[in-house]
């Protein structure tokens, strides 16, 4: 029969499992729409699978408490110390999981170590985060109080000073060894060859339930100090790999004798779901819609390569999609060889810059701008008045309208030709607009709708100002979003819809070449497209993931990582490569992915697209691990 201390330890741990079940239930309730395609039985199975991740996470988090709990003392002070340590350690777990009740809807995944890399941003936004999500303190307080109240304490008995006999010591040693063995087994997640990993949650179908099976404590702790990735071995030779990679970018054709300026407008959370041009006229972006239908080229099958702002710049400026669980910008690979548009166009005599109205250093954008070869970064520090400016939104940075006007003035001062990227920020939680525009923009049905309408208005004002500048007529404008955000259109509530964003090219002075607007495009296509239009050849500096949207030899593709699976989008099929290397095929429909793969897919297409996706993943992962994304110069 186990001793009282072992029984107490098990009861206290069982209390934590019960609390994590409640946390998972709350996560499911808040994000129910994400899991609506799953049946009740599948959802219950996800809860059952979740216990495995809960045990692992709780043992990792509570390891000091578990070790100290083995000391067989009934002393009141000692037991109160153990209870206090228990509460302090698990308060962190409560915070992580409760935060993801809301944060998950923005990034589409459980929290990882990004909190340690954007800590300064979180600290700066602490006030508005608390004011907007104060309601999360209610379940936090209740659950913490429950842990205190229901924490089992030993029955009071008089302490004896006699040394335990040999039998008692042997029993204690056996129980300590048993706890140690169970703890190791629990942390590993079982007897399997390798320890439990995040991707194991996504083996169940539909794969989206992996987010439900996971807990944020597990994903956060597992990502701390993560600096190794296992190389992929789908292909044994480089020849076979490159054949399957299907990367044969057409050489750029000189389009103009004059080198155009290039302006990339990277629009915060500007999802396709919010545009009228892509939703039968029902949207919040009248100016964007007018640009798309009067001179602009709107690519209607465009997808983001990630779900977070920090993942957009590498794709847009360097053609590097986001195929890691954590962002490239803050990974150990950030110092790898990387050739961005800033470097390539800088060698062509371009003045290059990146503008972002947020705090300098936010999300590492300033650092990555340098990695991509950008000559000058403009952040909040460079804006007149900075945080003291009346244009400061009080949360993130400068409101879009004044910042875009500032951007236009700065462009007029830059030597031509110039290549400049601006990242907007107003369509970001808490979705505020300047006080003078209260009531001007439609509220819509989601908090973000009004902010998107304001950002669209800011775009209109920018183009009105820019059109009066001498550089306007010979400038290529590239408009696209960093990622999607809040959703309430049923057609977008699926894996593919979560990445559906617009891509619009506009060149006021010269018509753009013809292009298939229904080809598949992605953020990583921007470098090849820009270089193609400018007639700049840089084959050794272009990664093989993207194509120019004017390349008529291909119908394009998009690739992204979601829920532990890799996805490859083509005009006929969407291919999934699961965490356990299973290949699945789905029919392609714009921003709509069926809940289940084809039961009897075309074997030829399954093999072709499966190999192509595996080649992309192997090239990407091994290229980062080996710092070999680019061909070696002779």
């Amino acid at each position: 029969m186990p001793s009282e201390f072992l029984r107490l330890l098990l009861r206290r741990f069982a209390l934590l499992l019960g609390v994590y079940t409640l946390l998972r239930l709350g996560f499911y309730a808040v994000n129910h729409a994400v899991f609506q395609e799953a049946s009740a039985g599948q959802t219950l199975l996800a809860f059952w699978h979740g216990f495995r991740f809960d045990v692992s996470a709780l043992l990792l988090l509570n390891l000091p408490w578990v070790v100290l709990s083995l000391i067989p003392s009934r002393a009141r002070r000692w037991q109160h110390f153990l209870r206090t340590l228990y509460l302090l350690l698990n308060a962190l777990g409560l915070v992580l999981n409760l935060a993801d009740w809301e944060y998950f809807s923005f990034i589409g995944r459980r929290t990882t170590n990004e909190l340690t890399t954007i800590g300064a941003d979180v600290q700066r936004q602490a006030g508005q985060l608390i004011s907007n999500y104060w309601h999360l303190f209610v379940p936090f307080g209740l659950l913490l109080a429950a842990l205190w109240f229901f924490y089992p304490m030993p029955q009071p008995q008089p302490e004896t000073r006699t040394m335990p006999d040999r039998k008692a010591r042997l029993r204690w040693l056996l129980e300590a060894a048993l706890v140690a063995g169970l703890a190791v087994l629990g942390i590993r997640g079982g007897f399997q060859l390798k320890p439990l990993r995040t991707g194991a949650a996504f083996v169940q179908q539909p794969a989206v339930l992996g987010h439900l099976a996971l807990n944020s404590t597990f994903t956060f702790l597992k990502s701390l100090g993560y600096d190794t990735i296992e190389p992929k071995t789908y292909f044994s030779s480089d020849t076979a790999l490159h054949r399957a990679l299907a990367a044969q970018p057409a050489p750029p054709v000189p389009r103009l004798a004059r080198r155009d300026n290039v302006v990339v407008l990277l629009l915060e959370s500007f999802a396709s779901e919010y545009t009228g041009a892509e939703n039968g006229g029902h949207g919040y972006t009248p100016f964007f819609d007018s640009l798309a239908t009067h001179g602009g080229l709107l690519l209607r099958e465009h997808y983001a390569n990630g779900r977070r702002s920090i993942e957009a710049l590498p794709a847009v400026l360097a053609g590097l999609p986001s195929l890691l669980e954590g962002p490239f910008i803050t990974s150990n690979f950030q110092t790898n060889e990387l050739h961005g548009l800033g470097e390539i166009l800088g060698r062509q005599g371009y003045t290059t810059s990146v503008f972002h109205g947020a705090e300098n250093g936010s999300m590492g954008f300033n650092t990555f701008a340098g990695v991509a070869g950008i000559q000058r970064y403009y952040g909040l520090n460079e804006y007149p008045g900075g945080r003291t400016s009346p244009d400061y939104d009080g949360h993130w940075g400068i409101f879009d309208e004044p910042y875009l006007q500032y951007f236009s003035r700065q462009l007029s001062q830059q030597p031509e030709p110039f290549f400049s990227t601006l990242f907007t920020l107003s369509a970001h939680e808490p979705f505020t607009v300047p006080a003078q525009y209260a009531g001007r923009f439609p509220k819509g049905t989601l908090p973000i709708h009004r902010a998107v309408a304001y950002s669209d208005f800011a775009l209109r004002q920018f183009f009105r100002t820019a059109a009066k500048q001498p550089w306007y007529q010979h400038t290529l404008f590239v408009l696209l979003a960093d990622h999607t955000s809040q959703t309430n259109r049923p057609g977008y509530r699926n894996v593919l819809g979560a990445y559906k964003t617009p891509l619009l090219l506009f060149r006021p002075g010269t018509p753009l070449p013809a292009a298939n607007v229904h080809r598949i495009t992605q953020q990583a296509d921007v470098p090849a497209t820009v270089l193609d239009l400018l007639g700049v050849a840089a084959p050794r500096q272009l990664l093989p993931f993207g194509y120019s949207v004017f390349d008529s030899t291909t119908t394009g593709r998009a690739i992204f990582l979601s829920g532990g699976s890799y996805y490859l989008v083509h005009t006929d099929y969407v291919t999934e490569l699961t965490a356990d290397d299973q290949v699945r095929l789905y029919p392609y429909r714009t921003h709509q992915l069926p809940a289940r793969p084809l039961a009897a897919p075309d074997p030829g297409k399954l093999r072709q697209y499966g190999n192509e996706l595996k080649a992309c993943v192997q090239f990407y992962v091994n290229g980062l691990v080996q710092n070999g994304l680019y061909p070696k110069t002779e």
Side-chain angles (χ1 to χ4, degrees):
M1 182 178 179
S3 68
E4 180 186 18
F5 291 103
L6 181 56
R7 291 197 300 272
L8 286 172
L9 178 60
L10 294 175
R11 288 172 58 195
R12 293 163 179 172
F13 193 81
L15 175 60
L16 291 174
L17 289 175
V19 166
Y20 270 54
T21 300
L22 292 176
L23 288 169
R24 182 172 287 108
L25 189 61
F27 177 83
Y28 176 76
V30 174
N31 297 282
H32 176 264
V34 177
F35 309 107
Q36 61 184 354
E37 66 185 50
S39 67
Q42 291 171 325
T43 302
L44 289 174
L45 188 59
F47 271 78
W48 174 251
H49 286 165
F51 280 108
R52 187 183 182 200
F53 294 92
D54 292 349
V55 169
S56 180
L58 288 169
L59 285 170
L60 279 170
L61 183 63
N62 289 277
L63 200 55
W65 170 79
V66 170
V67 172
L68 294 174
S69 294
L70 294 175
I71 298 176
S73 172
R74 297 177 182 276
R76 185 173 180 180
R77 288 185 178 181
W78 177 251
Q79 290 299 324
H80 279 294
F81 166 75
L82 287 180
R83 181 160 65 172
T84 302
L85 179 62
Y86 180 90
L87 291 178
L88 289 175
L89 290 172
N90 290 290
L92 172 62
L94 293 180
V95 169
L96 290 171
N97 285 275
L98 288 170
D100 263 358
W101 284 13
E102 298 288 350
Y103 192 42
F104 177 81
S105 66
F106 291 96
I107 65 171
R109 64 175 66 163
R110 292 278 192 166
T111 294
T112 60
N113 66 346
E114 65 203 53
L115 290 181
T116 65
T117 61
I118 61 171
D121 288 338
V122 173
Q123 184 177 356
R124 284 191 292 268
Q125 306 307 317
Q128 65 96 359
L129 289 173
I130 291 173
S131 65
N132 282 278
Y133 299 111
W134 61 267
H135 56 279
L136 294 179
F137 284 94
V138 176
F140 174 79
L142 291 174
L143 291 174
L144 198 63
L147 288 178
W148 174 268
F149 183 79
F150 292 107
Y151 183 90
M153 296 290 282
Q155 294 297 321
Q157 292 181 11
E159 287 281 340
T160 60
R161 295 183 177 276
T162 58
M163 294 293 292
D165 57 23
R166 181 177 299 179
K167 184 176 180 181
R169 287 198 297 268
L170 179 59
R171 179 175 181 171
W172 179 85
L173 287 172
L174 290 175
E175 289 187 346
L178 176 62
V179 170
L182 291 176
V184 170
L185 185 63
I187 290 172
R188 292 191 80 262
F191 292 98
Q192 71 281 351
L193 182 61
K194 296 181 179 179
L196 186 63
R197 299 177 180 177
T198 303
F202 298 94
V203 176
Q204 181 189 347
Q205 292 300 308
V208 70
L209 287 173
H211 299 298
L212 187 59
L214 287 168
N215 64 74
S216 306
T217 307
F218 182 88
T219 56
F220 178 77
L221 293 177
K222 282 290 187 178
S223 65
L224 290 177
Y226 183 78
D227 57 1
T228 59
I229 300 178
E230 290 187 8
K232 301 294 184 180
T233 56
Y234 300 122
F235 301 91
S236 58
S237 70
D238 289 342
T239 301
L241 171 65
H242 285 87
R243 186 185 304 117
L245 194 58
Q248 298 177 344
V253 178
R255 306 285 184 180
L256 293 171
R258 178 190 68 249
R259 290 285 167 84
D260 281 353
N261 304 309
V262 180
V263 171
V264 175
L265 296 171
L266 197 48
L267 309 175
E268 172 69 46
S269 303
F270 211 86
S272 291
E273 177 174 348
Y274 313 139
T275 69
E278 297 180 89
N279 295 282
H282 303 291
Y284 303 89
T285 59
F287 174 73
F288 180 89
D289 300 340
S290 67
L291 207 61
T293 54
H294 295 86
L297 177 65
L298 178 65
L299 284 303
R300 294 181 173 272
E301 315 293 332
H302 179 77
Y303 297 91
N305 289 119
R307 287 292 307 274
R308 295 175 290 187
S309 299
I310 198 171
E311 296 170 322
L313 274 187
V316 172
L317 294 185
L320 187 72
S322 181
L323 301 182
L324 297 175
E325 288 293 345
F328 171 82
I329 287 179
T330 56
S331 74
N332 286 343
F333 306 116
Q334 60 185 295
T335 57
N336 277 21
E337 178 185 3
L338 196 70
H339 302 286
L341 279 174
E343 173 195 336
I344 298 169
L345 293 181
R347 291 176 178 173
Q348 300 291 323
Y350 277 72
T351 304
T352 60
S353 56
V354 165
F355 289 74
H356 187 219
E359 197 86 33
N360 292 54
S362 177
M363 290 179 282
F365 285 171
N366 56 342
T367 302
F368 182 77
V371 171
I374 299 297
Q375 298 159 2
R376 184 74 187 273
Y377 177 85
Y378 296 80
L380 182 61
N381 292 355
E382 287 69 36
Y383 190 82
R387 294 172 65 93
T388 64
S389 168
D391 302 325
Y392 181 65
D393 66 5
H395 304 291
W396 287 103
I398 306 302
F399 280 116
D400 283 354
E401 182 195 8
Y403 197 75
L404 279 163
Q405 293 299 307
Y406 163 78
F407 178 54
S408 179
R409 294 192 298 271
Q410 290 297 317
L411 290 181
S412 296
Q413 298 175 22
Q414 294 193 9
E416 297 184 61
F418 55 73
F419 167 71
S420 190
T421 299
L422 178 136
F423 208 132
T424 67
L425 56 73
S426 289
H428 194 294
E429 189 276 333
F431 311 120
T432 55
V433 300
Q436 67 266 30
Y437 294 125
R440 174 164 182 169
F441 304 108
K443 291 183 63 176
T445 55
L446 290 171
I448 195 173
H449 288 159
R450 185 178 66 151
V452 167
Y454 166 69
S455 294
D456 182 74
F457 167 77
L459 278 179
R460 183 188 297 275
Q461 300 304 100
F462 166 75
F463 274 91
R464 281 179 177 172
T465 301
K468 302 173 184 177
Q469 309 307 314
W471 48 263
Y472 179 76
Q473 289 295 323
H474 48 276
T475 297
L476 167 68
F477 296 91
V478 181
L479 290 79
L480 73 167
D482 57 345
H483 56 73
T484 61
S485 185
Q486 296 178 330
T487 177
N488 65 357
R489 292 185 190 264
Y492 289 88
R493 289 177 175 172
N494 60 82
V495 171
L496 205 54
Y499 290 81
K500 183 68 183 74
T501 52
L503 172 61
L504 175 65
L505 305 180
F506 178 67
R507 189 165 61 183
T510 309
L512 291 164
N516 175 12
V517 299
H518 289 289
R519 66 180 286 128
I520 303 295
T521 61
Q522 59 180 336
Q523 291 169 333
D525 289 340
V526 170
T529 300
V530 168
L531 296 180
D532 185 15
L533 278 173
L534 298 179
V536 174
R540 287 185 177 274
Q541 285 77 46
L542 276 179
L543 292 173
F545 303 108
Y547 299 100
S548 167
V549 303
F550 301 104
D551 182 356
S552 59
T553 66
T554 174
T555 54
R557 66 182 175 190
I559 185 171
F560 56 83
L561 173 65
S562 179
S565 289
Y566 299 98
Y567 290 88
L568 176 67
V569 185
H570 281 291
T571 53
D572 51 355
Y573 294 105
V574 177
T575 310
E576 178 189 10
L577 179 62
T578 68
D580 57 349
D581 292 334
Q582 299 298 309
V583 177
R584 301 188 175 105
L585 214 59
Y586 304 79
Y588 174 74
R589 290 183 297 166
T590 304
H591 71 72
Q592 295 187 39
L593 192 73
R596 291 173 176 77
L598 293 170
D602 181 327
K605 287 294 184 182
L606 187 68
R607 180 172 57 255
Q608 175 191 346
Y609 289 157
N611 284 342
E612 181 180 345
L613 181 51
K614 288 178 178 178
C616 287
V617 172
Q618 180 170 325
F619 184 90
Y620 183 96
V621 171
N622 294 7
L624 289 181
V625 171
Q626 302 162 8
N627 195 10
L629 287 173
Y630 299 90
K632 301 299 181 184
T633 55
E634 297 179 358

